């Protein structure tokens, strides 16, 4: 009787294990069509616990020293480790049944088990990621144009301690540095972000570009240059830009809306950026000058449309001719709008900055617009000159006619007088 009872218990255990294994084998296919499957370790433990609460089987987790998600373990090692853990978990049962169960699951569904476990979820809690550098304060850049000429020699003489010698053949600007330079740990160059150091780029044609200067200090630095400036303008032009430093940037530079991001900013970068901003703010002044001339000729043409004539003096017209020619000469010669920076010629990195900023500020397109307006002014000047010339020709013709008429009258009077004298 006891022998029969034991056989019955063993048979029930065998039936229970087979039922559990069928459920496990069907679990991946069912779960893939319904929802993402939980980790197989949890499913395996839940099936045995719910089906036989009195068995008290608890699957031990893998040891921390042998993490299956460690990149140092191969696929075969991971399968062997899981097989060993599950074999230990079923040791109270029959050896034959447990070995059959684990080997069947390992050989048939090893891909699903590995896919269900994520290294980011089962790791030891240490992400090991590299934290990004905190964003550095941006470097404000301000460009001003308030005069038509600056004496660079006298400016350098009075600010020798702050003068930075040039590294190229360009002699139409100087660079002055004020404050203490914040050293860069990697030795790449000057780090202006968050420092009290500032740079001033002064151009001979009247532009000034300030780097990292606070708002309350702008007037003080402008007064340093105004002492050596001539041809002060009634209204000062101003433009603002921004430079950002990011050492972890994947590329050398990256452009944005009203700013440029660089890995680092050094003196060559300051010269390159300053040259483009100085040309841009000066070109804006000359464009406005030409716009004023276009407005004057527009008013003249509208008056001619109504009255059929105009009253401009020759002197005023010649003044407009001289103004148009001088503006064009200043843009081409003083600004050096078509001369490439020497620093950009030597290093491709700064050539990239130079070309990007010229496209950003549309220097070529703005000069084309300026040239078109000057051609319009030239056409109107030529037309008005022809009208004035015709007026002068008409005046001379009438003067000649009057003189001829006067001579004829004098001749007639002389003949009449002589005839009267002979008759007597």
């Amino acid at each position: 009787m006891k022998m029969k009872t034991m056989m019955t218990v063993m048979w029930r255990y065998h039936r229970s294990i087979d039922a559990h294994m069928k459920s496990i084998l069907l679990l991946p296919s069912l779960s893939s069509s319904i929802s993402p499957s939980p980790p197989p370790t949890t499913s395996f433990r839940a099936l045995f616990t719910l089906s036989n609460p009195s068995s008290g089987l608890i699957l031990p987790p893998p040891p921390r020293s042998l993490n299956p998600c460690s990149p140092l373990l191969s696929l075969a090692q991971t399968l062997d480790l899981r097989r060993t853990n599950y074999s230990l978990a079923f040791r109270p049962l029959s050896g034959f049944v447990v070995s059959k169960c684990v080997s069947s699951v390992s050989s048939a569904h090893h891909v699903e088990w590995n896919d269900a476990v994520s290294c980011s979820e089962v790791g030891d809690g240490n992400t090991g990621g590299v934290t990004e550098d905190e964003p550095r304060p941006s470097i404000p850049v301000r460009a001003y144009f308030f005069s038509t000429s600056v004496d660079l020699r006298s400016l350098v003489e009075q600010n020798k301690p702050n003068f930075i010698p040039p590294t190229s053949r360009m002699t139409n600007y100087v660079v002055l540095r004020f404050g203490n330079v914040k050293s860069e740990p990697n030795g790449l160059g000057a780090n202006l972000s968050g420092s009290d150091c500032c740079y001033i780029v002064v151009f001979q044609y009247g532009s000034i570009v300030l780097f990292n200067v606070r708002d309350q200090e702008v007037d003080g630095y402008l007064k340093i240059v105004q002492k050596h400036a001539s041809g002060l303008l009634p209204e000062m032009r101003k433009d603002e830009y921004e430079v950002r430093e990011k050492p972890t940037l994947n590329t050398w530079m990256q452009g944005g809306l009203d700013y440029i991001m660089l890995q680092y900013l050094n003196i060559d970068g300051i010269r390159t950026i300053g040259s483009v901003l100085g040309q841009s703010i000066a070109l804006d002044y000359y464009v406005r000058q030409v716009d004023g001339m276009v407005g004057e000729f527009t008013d003249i043409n509208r008056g001619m449309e109504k009255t059929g004539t105009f009253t401009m003096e020759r002197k005023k017209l010649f003044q407009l001719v001289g103004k148009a020619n001088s503006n064009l000469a200043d843009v081409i010669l003083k600004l050096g709008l078509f001369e490439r920076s020497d620093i950009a010629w030597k290093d491709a990195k700064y050539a990239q900055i130079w070309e990007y900023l010229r496209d950003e500020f549309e220097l070529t397109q703005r000069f084309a617009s300026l040239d078109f307006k000057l051609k319009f002014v030239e056409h109107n000047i030529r037309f008005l000159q022809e009208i004035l010339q015709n007026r002068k020709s008409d005046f001379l013709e009438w003067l000649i006619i009057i003189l001829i008429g006067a001579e004829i009258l004098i001749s007639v009077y002389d003949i009449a007088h002589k005839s009267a004298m002979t008759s007597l």
Side-chain angles (χ1 to χ4, degrees), residues 91-350:
R91 185 169 295 176
L93 300 177
S94 172
F96 172 78
V97 174
V98 171
S99 62
K100 180 180 178 181
C101 170
V102 175
S103 62
S104 300
V105 174
S106 300
S107 61
H109 296 278
H110 62 278
V111 177
E112 286 79 6
W113 284 21
N114 288 334
D115 291 341
V117 181
S118 175
C119 294
S120 60
E121 298 175 355
V122 190
D124 56 357
N126 185 13
T127 58
V130 180
T131 58
E132 296 183 357
D133 295 342
E134 296 181 359
R136 297 182 178 182
S138 60
I139 302 172
V141 184
R142 299 178 178 90
Y144 298 90
F145 187 80
F146 61 89
S147 68
T148 57
S149 179
V150 177
D151 188 357
L152 299 181
R153 181 173 297 179
S154 62
L155 178 64
V156 173
E157 287 293 332
Q158 294 189 6
N159 298 274
K160 283 186 177 181
N162 307 107
F163 174 65
I164 299 178
T167 58
S168 63
R169 297 174 298 174
M170 298 296 291
T171 58
N172 66 335
Y173 70 93
V174 295
V175 181
L176 303 177
R177 179 174 59 199
F178 298 88
N180 299 323
V181 181
K182 183 179 179 181
S183 60
E184 184 73 12
N186 53 13
L188 294 177
N191 182 14
L192 295 182
S193 301
S195 66
D196 60 349
C197 180
C198 61
Y199 289 82
I200 302 179
V201 186
V202 184
F203 295 88
Q204 188 177 8
Y205 52 80
S207 292
I208 302 175
V209 184
L210 307 178
F211 287 82
N212 201 35
V213 176
R214 300 180 181 89
D215 295 337
Q216 60 273 17
E217 300 176 353
V218 170
D219 293 336
Y221 289 111
L222 291 180
K223 290 179 181 179
I224 296 176
V225 183
Q226 286 178 353
K227 299 177 182 179
H228 311 276
S230 60
L232 296 177
L233 304 178
E235 182 182 0
M236 181 172 59
R237 308 299 308 167
K238 178 184 176 182
D239 195 7
E240 295 183 355
Y241 200 62
E242 187 176 302
V243 179
R244 301 177 184 177
E245 289 182 316
K246 186 177 180 182
T248 58
L249 192 64
N250 295 330
T251 59
W252 158 242
M253 60 147 289
Q254 181 179 344
L257 183 61
D258 292 335
Y259 76 90
I260 184 173
M261 184 177 294
L262 305 175
Q263 291 180 353
Y264 60 89
L265 179 64
N266 57 8
I267 186 63
D268 288 337
I270 290 173
R271 287 191 174 100
T272 304
I273 296 173
S275 64
V276 178
L277 292 180
Q279 291 175 348
S280 175
I281 192 66
L283 183 61
D284 182 66
Y285 164 76
Y286 289 111
V287 168
R288 291 181 178 272
Q289 290 291 106
V290 176
D291 288 341
M293 289 188 289
V294 171
E296 290 185 17
F297 283 107
T298 302
D299 295 338
I300 292 173
N301 292 328
R302 288 177 179 173
M304 292 178 61
E305 181 182 0
K306 294 179 180 179
T307 62
T309 184
F310 73 101
T311 59
M312 177 179 285
E313 297 179 357
R314 183 179 293 272
K315 181 180 179 181
K316 177 65 174 178
L317 182 62
F318 284 162
Q319 288 177 346
L320 291 176
V321 172
K323 188 176 182 180
N325 293 333
S326 62
N327 285 335
L328 183 60
D330 290 342
V331 171
I332 296 177
L333 299 178
K334 287 187 176 181
L335 270 64
L337 202 61
F338 298 100
E339 296 179 5
R340 191 178 182 91
S341 173
D342 289 347
I343 300 174
W345 275 112
K346 295 177 182 179
D347 197 331
K349 295 190 300 183
Y350 302 104

